[in-house]
Amino acid sequence: MQTDSAITIHRSDYRPYPFRIETVQLAFDLDPAGTRVRNTLRLQRVPGTPANTLLVLDGEDIELLGLSLDGQPVEAARYRLDARTLSVAGLPESCTLTIDSLCRPDANTKLMGLYVSGESLFTQCEAEGFRRITWFPDRPDVMSRYQVTLRADKNAYPVMLSNGNLISSTELPDSRHETVWEDPFPKPSYLFALVAGRFACRQKTTHTASGREVLLQVYSDPGSEAQTEWALDSLERALRWDEQRFGLELDLDRFMVVATRDFNMGAMENKGLNIFNAAYVLAHPDSATDANYEAIESVIGHEYFHNWTGNRVTCRDWFQLSLKEGLTVFRDQEFTADMMAEALQRREEDAAAGSSAALAQLRAAQASARAVKRIDDVIALRAAQFPEDAGPMAHPIRPESYQEIGNFYTATVYEKGAEVIRMQHRLLGEAGFRQGMDDYFARFDGQAVTCDDFVDTMEAVYTRQHPGQDFSIFRRWYAQAGTPRVKVTLAHDSATQRCTITLQQRCDKVGVETQRGADYVKHPFHIPFALGLLAPDGTPLPLSLNGEQSDTVLLELREEQAQWHFDSIAQRPVPSLLRDFSAPVIVEYDWTDEELALLSEHDPDAFARWEAGQELAAREILRHARDMDLDEPVTLSASLVRAWATLLHTPALDPAYRARALALPLEKTLLERMRPMHPGRLAAARLAVRAELGRQLGSLWLQTYHENMTPGAYSPDPLSTGRRSLKNLALSYLCAPRKQDGLSLAQQQFQKAGNMTDSLAALACLVNDADTIVAQNALGDFYTRWHHDPLVVDKWFAVQAASCNSTVALVRKLTQHPAFTLLTPNRVRALVFQFCMNNALNFHTEEGAGYAFWAEQMLLLDPVNPEIAARLARVFDRWSLHAPELREKMLAALELIAAEPSLSRNTSEIIQKSLNLGALEAK
Ligand code: TRP
Ligand code: ZN
């Protein structure tokens, strides 16, 4: 492993930049084989800075062609160039520096900086990509006004875009042309963007709340214009929502979204010119699923909301990443929840005119719409962030150190970061939180700030609401890693009719904390813990806290342990804990199976109700994974079967909600409770439980399947998507026992499906549960129909990679398919990531063929795209906790990669931490 690359950057190292750069002029002569960039900087030394201060600029993988100061070439003795910086000495207090350089977009496979995708040119600058375009202080606290000139061949690049407003558009000789763009808002370099190529554009004009006309545009490949309607509509909904919920308006005359097929992540919030992975823009009912539609609306919202939380107020340094990401994820989660509730609201009138059954269905959906979104977000948090927070990459939402910032765009910074914002929202209430947000923009607009600055504004509101209390304990959520555990004890005294609840928290040291020695002590967190109590017949009990009466109380645990008393409770109640998932913690309480069944049937809190059923299923699967002979049929506990039957029998519950309640908990979540970890056994146990539930409740699944058809034209509204998700879940249970009746239904659905959601769900059933010939035929038909559409070809790869019938040999063969390429991250994710991260049954086999395949792909991928390789490297985060026969082979695979001499900084950090901290864990 490279040693010089293992430089660790610490949060405490922050120093302000000694120069201000008021304006940047960039002129590009665009050409994939060699793009020339002229960068003209207006520099000013910060007052009070010593006159001999060196100017140090970042630059990587670019060639210096010229350097001049106030119009004169800089002599060689005054500057120094190395692989990562350009330093210039002896600058006057204010001056103009001009840098000419050359980069090669067509050789850029990392997709950071300026690169080629299809026939077009795109940029990606966050976090440190701008330095791959030109030399610059590539850090978020240096904010400048940009003017950008783009020149290129007009036939190859008819469209040329950059941030802000179009100033001019000019024809040049030799069939070239030029556009000039100006962004009126000062911004850090990571928000710079340019796009050049041939595009279709869908656009509309609308007015902001204050009446300004704005142009909204979505650019995509020529020929894909039929697939951008949903994205453009989502953009307009996002614009409206930010005005209504947060009073925030679009500040530009023009807002552009551009789709590319080659992109490292979801999308990027460049000022006025968002660049998107095509997977989060393009949708048509024939080729996109309900999940795709929802993801598009959510990512469009996310990037749009960054315009205020990220761009207008940005980060001082990358340790503050959660300042913009946690807050913006919270905002996009609320946007989706509000859009679902609003869509159902709009259905009121249609339903009122229709049958009373339709109205009842609508009421049920309205009642649980927000809970469904909350459940989906918590499922994702537990599957990705909880394991991360317990493994070698564990870090607080505001990390203390990193080697490669690209590795810290994590579930912790994003999703746990959003939970930390949500807790503040819960503690302050909607009005208090809104006040805090208003104050935040009033104080920090146009600045690069810290997480502490954000919490300061929220704390000011909180202390006004709760005189004498502060946020000092709450701030530990930013500083300490790990998922706290809250142990709950319930005592009931029938003589005094008093119920006493004791909460006790603990949080072990994790990740780098384990290396900080004995004097590093973790302190208790401030945990908002929502609780309800149910009488033994399921009736919710009124509780009083601080003089207020309610079915749900919010307990604030700030110490290691605290106690609360509730009076006038005649019989020992059943506790409903962590309602609405009020904090990102793990609850420990020993409910009996009967109590869980009661909660699953009666808890008025839709989240806790869902949770109770999931816990019943989790116990069942974990028991089988531990004890069962995998070749024998499983016997299910009566409580689980009864709970599932009850849910199937309760049509008054919304289909979307029932689809979540009747699904089985994810392997990744369950694995955290298994010691030693044996992912393959767990996956087999989960499949066996599913098959047995399918067999025992066959007629109920069949009835549910038929009751939830969605005739008529496709619509991605929450009622229809809810019905499809329940119907397709029923289909998967019907197919799980691998009997002909279920499989015929899947075959019929596959042949007749009028939309991609139904088609893909049926295909997955056939690939997993039907005979090879049937599965192969279906896959062949699907490919023939869709081979021209890359997003659908991704689905075709993914369904095979994740199948319980796939093997290492099959997946390796698919890497030789003409449609497979390591150059397109979406394709790598569809095949390699799906198999290594989402197919425990066939990846974690004891002979280690899966691990050898992983190592082989790592070595191919790392030189091509280190950001993506480093994500694949995280498959073995939890290696040290696995059964010995797996653990040894995982370790060998990790060591094989570690021995590679030219490993990227990205991958090297992950592998190193996995080996070092995993070894500590193994002890
Ligand atoms: N800031 C972007 C977002 O959350 C994501 C992002 C960060 C990104 N780094 C990236 C996207 C690199 C692509 C490539 O919306
Ligand atoms: Zn973001």
Side-chain angles (χ1 to χ4, degrees):
M1 205 161 356
Q2 238 172 288
T3 44
D4 69 311
S5 61
I7 299 164
T8 298
I9 301 166
H10 297 270
R11 184 166 68 94
S12 54
D13 291 343
Y14 177 79
R15 299 290 177 276
Y17 196 68
F19 294 87
R20 263 201 285 277
I21 300 177
E22 253 150 47
T23 62
V24 182
Q25 284 176 44
L26 298 172
F28 289 84
D29 283 297
L30 295 166
D31 184 340
T35 289
R36 294 173 69 105
V37 186
R38 169 160 291 190
N39 171 6
T40 309
L41 305 170
R42 284 284 317 144
L43 287 164
Q44 244 159 347
R45 203 163 60 233
V46 169
T49 310
N52 61 356
T53 303
L54 264 188
L55 174 76
V56 182
L57 304 174
D58 304 296
E60 234 173 63
D61 271 7
I62 48 180
E63 189 185 324
L64 185 64
L65 300 177
L67 180 65
S68 60
L69 182 68
D70 292 327
Q72 299 299 313
V74 181
E75 56 205 86
R78 271 190 55 197
Y79 73 90
R80 222 193 64 214
L81 187 62
D82 65 31
R84 299 184 62 178
T85 54
L86 169 63
S87 316
V88 189
L91 296 184
E93 206 169 297
S94 100
C95 60
T96 301
L97 192 70
T98 305
I99 308 169
D100 287 302
S101 63
L102 186 73
C103 62
R104 286 218 41 179
D106 66 359
N108 183 357
T109 60
K110 298 184 176 170
L111 312 183
M112 294 296 290
L114 180 62
Y115 65 91
V116 177
S117 170
E119 311 275 78
S120 303
L121 291 162
F122 296 88
T123 55
Q124 172 56 40
C125 292
E126 187 178 5
E128 299 180 335
F130 191 69
R131 63 187 64 187
R132 295 168 57 75
I133 298 173
T134 183
W135 275 276
F136 198 76
D138 196 10
R139 43 187 281 171
D141 59 342
V142 175
M143 297 169 77
S144 321
R145 267 202 302 278
Y146 285 64
Q147 197 199 59
V148 179
T149 302
L150 303 172
R151 287 186 290 263
D153 181 87
K154 191 166 183 177
N155 296 315
Y157 305 98
V159 177
M160 298 190 295
L161 312 172
S162 191
N163 316 83
N165 302 315
L166 179 62
I167 300 298
S168 68
S169 196
T170 323
E171 305 289 319
L172 301 176
D174 302 327
S175 76
R176 292 174 68 77
H177 68 149
E178 174 186 280
T179 61
V180 179
W181 294 81
E182 202 169 75
D183 183 352
F185 295 93
K187 65 166 173 288
S189 54
Y190 82 88
L191 291 174
F192 166 80
L194 79 78
V195 170
R198 189 175 297 282
F199 295 99
C201 177
R202 180 191 289 268
Q203 62 181 54
K204 62 166 90 168
T205 56
T206 185
H207 293 268
T208 65
S210 65
R212 237 171 3 89
E213 188 178 282
V214 292
L215 174 62
L216 308 180
Q217 297 183 310
V218 179
Y219 292 85
S220 60
D221 285 348
S224 63
E225 49 269 51
Q227 303 180 50
T228 50
E229 187 181 348
W230 178 252
L232 186 58
D233 289 348
S234 297
L235 182 58
E236 193 177 7
R237 286 194 290 273
L239 179 144
R240 284 286 91 82
W241 182 86
D242 218 8
E243 293 178 342
Q244 283 161 11
R245 181 97 185 252
F246 285 100
L248 298 171
E249 271 192 26
L250 179 57
D251 55 8
L252 292 164
D253 301 337
R254 164 180 193 140
F255 192 92
M256 299 171 278
V257 164
V258 189
T260 166
R261 305 271 177 195
D262 301 279
F263 205 67
N264 281 351
M265 302 232 236
M268 181 62 213
E269 69 265 26
N270 318 301
K271 185 77 185 189
L273 180 56
N274 289 184
I275 299 181
F276 272 63
N277 186 327
Y280 299 103
V281 175
L282 302 180
H284 185 277
D286 293 345
S287 56
T289 63
D290 294 341
N292 295 145
Y293 275 85
E294 192 186 322
I296 290 167
E297 186 180 69
S298 144
V299 179
I300 292 261
H302 181 96
E303 306 310 330
Y304 178 80
F305 303 143
H306 266 316
N307 191 50
W308 280 94
T309 50
N311 302 5
R312 287 289 288 257
V313 182
T314 195
C315 302
R316 187 193 72 172
D317 55 70
W318 291 121
F319 294 102
Q320 318 299 329
L321 183 57
S322 201
L323 173 77
K324 72 175 177 83
E325 294 305 345
L327 180 54
T328 305
V329 171
F330 169 77
R331 277 153 53 71
D332 84 51
Q333 290 175 345
E334 287 298 291
F335 170 58
T336 301
D338 286 346
M339 286 307 103
M340 287 179 167
E342 209 173 88
L344 294 166
Q345 203 63 48
R346 277 199 303 275
R347 295 282 290 259
E348 278 284 347
E349 286 126 54
D350 323 355
S355 65
S356 62
L359 190 62
Q361 272 230 339
L362 185 63
R363 291 272 180 265
Q366 285 172 342
S368 54
R370 299 193 75 88
V372 166
K373 171 62 176 157
R374 189 72 187 122
I375 287 166
D376 288 346
D377 290 339
V378 174
I379 289 174
L381 183 82
R382 285 177 172 157
Q385 199 278 325
F386 279 23
E388 176 170 274
D389 223 348
M393 266 295 284
H395 53 277
I397 62 168
R398 182 189 58 206
E400 291 300 333
S401 66
Y402 59 76
Q403 290 172 25
E404 167 53 56
I405 185 58
N407 288 335
F408 283 79
Y409 287 77
T410 57
T412 297
V413 166
Y414 277 66
E415 273 76 32
K416 187 179 182 179
E419 292 299 319
V420 173
I421 301 293
R422 186 173 293 279
M423 286 190 283
Q424 296 175 66
H425 178 266
R426 199 176 297 270
L427 290 167
L428 271 64
E430 170 69 13
F433 186 80
R434 172 62 197 274
Q435 184 60 59
M437 289 292 282
D438 291 353
D439 296 347
Y440 175 66
F441 294 115
R443 281 170 73 176
F444 301 117
D445 187 14
Q447 299 179 43
V449 305
T450 64
C451 295
D452 276 328
D453 291 324
F454 179 85
V455 183
D456 285 348
T457 53
M458 292 297 161
E459 178 175 52
V461 176
Y462 186 79
T463 47
R464 257 178 278 146
Q465 292 172 333
H466 307 82
Q469 309 251 22
D470 68 22
F471 247 43
S472 51
I473 297 174
F474 189 87
R475 286 178 201 266
R476 291 173 187 161
W477 285 108
Y478 286 86
Q480 300 181 152
T483 310
R485 292 173 180 271
V486 179
K487 187 173 158 62
V488 182
T489 322
L490 182 152
H492 181 256
D493 184 339
S494 40
T496 59
Q497 304 211 332
R498 166 169 273 201
C499 176
T500 301
I501 296 285
T502 308
L503 301 184
Q504 191 182 11
Q505 60 168 307
R506 77 187 155 83
C507 188
D508 296 337
K509 289 190 204 176
V510 288
V512 285
E513 291 172 352
T514 54
Q515 294 180 321
R516 287 172 63 177
D519 44 84
Y520 174 66
V521 181
K522 283 179 92 166
H523 298 286
F525 292 87
H526 181 171
I527 299 172
F529 194 96
L531 163 118
L533 297 175
L534 269 63
D537 67 351
T539 319
L541 296 167
L543 306 176
S544 86
L545 184 76
N546 309 328
E548 280 174 47
Q549 277 242 333
S550 168
D551 290 351
T552 303
V553 289
L554 190 68
L555 311 178
E556 291 186 44
L557 177 64
R558 298 162 188 263
E559 283 117 46
E560 199 178 308
Q561 183 175 317
Q563 235 171 37
W564 288 266
H565 302 291
F566 301 99
D567 290 318
S568 317
I569 293 175
Q571 287 168 283
R572 186 184 168 83
V574 179
S576 160
L577 302 175
L578 201 69
R579 285 184 161 179
D580 198 39
F581 197 70
S582 60
V585 301
I586 296 167
V587 173
E588 296 179 345
Y589 181 79
D590 286 324
W591 286 282
T592 63
D593 283 4
E594 290 67 35
E595 288 174 322
L596 289 173
L598 179 101
L599 290 169
S600 154
E601 205 174 331
H602 296 292
D603 198 321
D605 182 81
F607 180 86
R609 181 177 185 176
W610 166 80
E611 182 93 300
Q614 293 291 298
E615 176 59 19
L616 273 178
R619 288 179 182 182
E620 187 79 35
I621 296 167
L622 287 165
R623 185 166 59 83
H624 289 297
R626 195 179 53 231
D627 302 337
M628 98 179 170
D629 175 348
L630 293 172
D631 300 322
E632 293 290 307
V634 300
T635 2
L636 300 180
S637 79
S639 354
L640 177 67
V641 179
R642 227 179 306 115
W644 254 235
T646 306
L647 286 165
L648 278 163
H649 268 308
T650 318
L653 273 179
D654 167 47
Y657 182 77
R658 279 198 287 159
R660 273 68 177 180
L662 289 161
L664 296 177
L666 299 185
E667 284 159 25
K668 287 191 173 70
T669 307
L670 295 174
L671 192 62
E672 292 298 306
R673 292 166 64 170
M674 187 183 199
R675 293 292 185 282
M677 292 177 173
H678 209 307
R681 275 190 75 86
L682 183 65
R686 186 173 177 278
L687 286 179
V689 169
R690 196 174 61 121
E692 189 55 21
L693 281 168
R695 203 185 56 77
Q696 287 195 31
L697 302 172
S699 56
L700 280 171
W701 290 121
L702 193 62
Q703 192 188 333
T704 302
Y705 180 85
H706 289 298
E707 278 169 3
N708 287 280
M709 293 294 179
T710 48
Y714 173 87
S715 150
D717 70 88
L719 274 185
S720 315
T721 61
R723 291 169 72 90
R724 274 190 292 273
S725 63
L726 181 55
K727 180 196 68 180
N728 287 326
L729 180 80
L731 183 65
S732 77
Y733 273 105
L734 285 164
C735 290
R738 302 190 164 177
K739 296 273 169 48
Q740 201 44 52
D741 43 352
L743 291 166
S744 307
L745 220 50
Q747 246 174 319
Q748 253 176 55
Q749 178 169 320
F750 181 67
Q751 278 150 14
K752 297 202 190 116
N755 59 71
M756 181 52 75
T757 306
D758 287 342
S759 170
L760 191 64
L763 178 64
C765 288
L766 296 175
V767 170
N768 281 281
D769 296 313
D771 294 341
T772 319
I773 300 172
V774 176
Q776 285 308 315
N777 284 340
L779 282 167
D781 292 351
F782 192 85
Y783 190 79
T784 307
R785 173 152 184 223
W786 289 112
H787 63 96
H788 60 276
D789 185 329
L791 295 175
V792 187
V793 173
D794 287 338
K795 293 171 168 46
W796 180 81
F797 275 110
V799 80
Q800 298 178 76
S803 161
C804 60
N805 298 316
S806 86
T807 58
V808 173
L810 175 85
V811 175
R812 190 176 279 118
K813 196 168 143 216
L814 283 170
T815 64
Q816 303 304 314
H817 190 282
F820 184 77
T821 168
L822 285 173
L823 295 168
T824 301
N826 285 359
R827 204 43 58 85
V828 180
R829 285 186 278 256
L831 183 60
V832 182
F833 281 56
Q834 274 298 320
F835 182 66
C836 297
M837 296 184 156
N838 237 347
N839 194 339
L841 192 70
N842 300 305
F843 178 68
H844 292 282
T845 55
E846 284 172 16
E847 89 292 351
Y851 306 159
F853 171 76
W854 170 84
E856 181 185 303
Q857 295 302 312
M858 279 299 299
L859 293 177
L860 293 170
L861 189 58
D862 191 54
V864 171
N865 191 329
E867 295 224 340
I868 303 298
R871 283 174 190 269
L872 184 61
R874 300 204 43 196
V875 167
F876 294 133
D877 265 15
R878 313 292 278 135
W879 68 270
S880 59
L881 299 181
H882 283 72
E885 62 276 19
L886 299 176
R887 190 175 65 207
E888 279 152 29
K889 295 199 171 69
M890 290 178 173
L891 180 57
L894 281 164
E895 282 170 341
L896 188 90
I897 303 304
E900 175 67 21
S902 58
L903 218 51
S904 70
R905 199 145 45 96
N906 309 60
T907 297
S908 143
E909 175 175 27
I910 303 295
I911 300 280
Q912 235 177 65
K913 286 187 170 160
S914 213
L915 287 173
N916 295 345
L917 292 147
L920 270 175
E921 269 176 0
K923 279 195 227 149

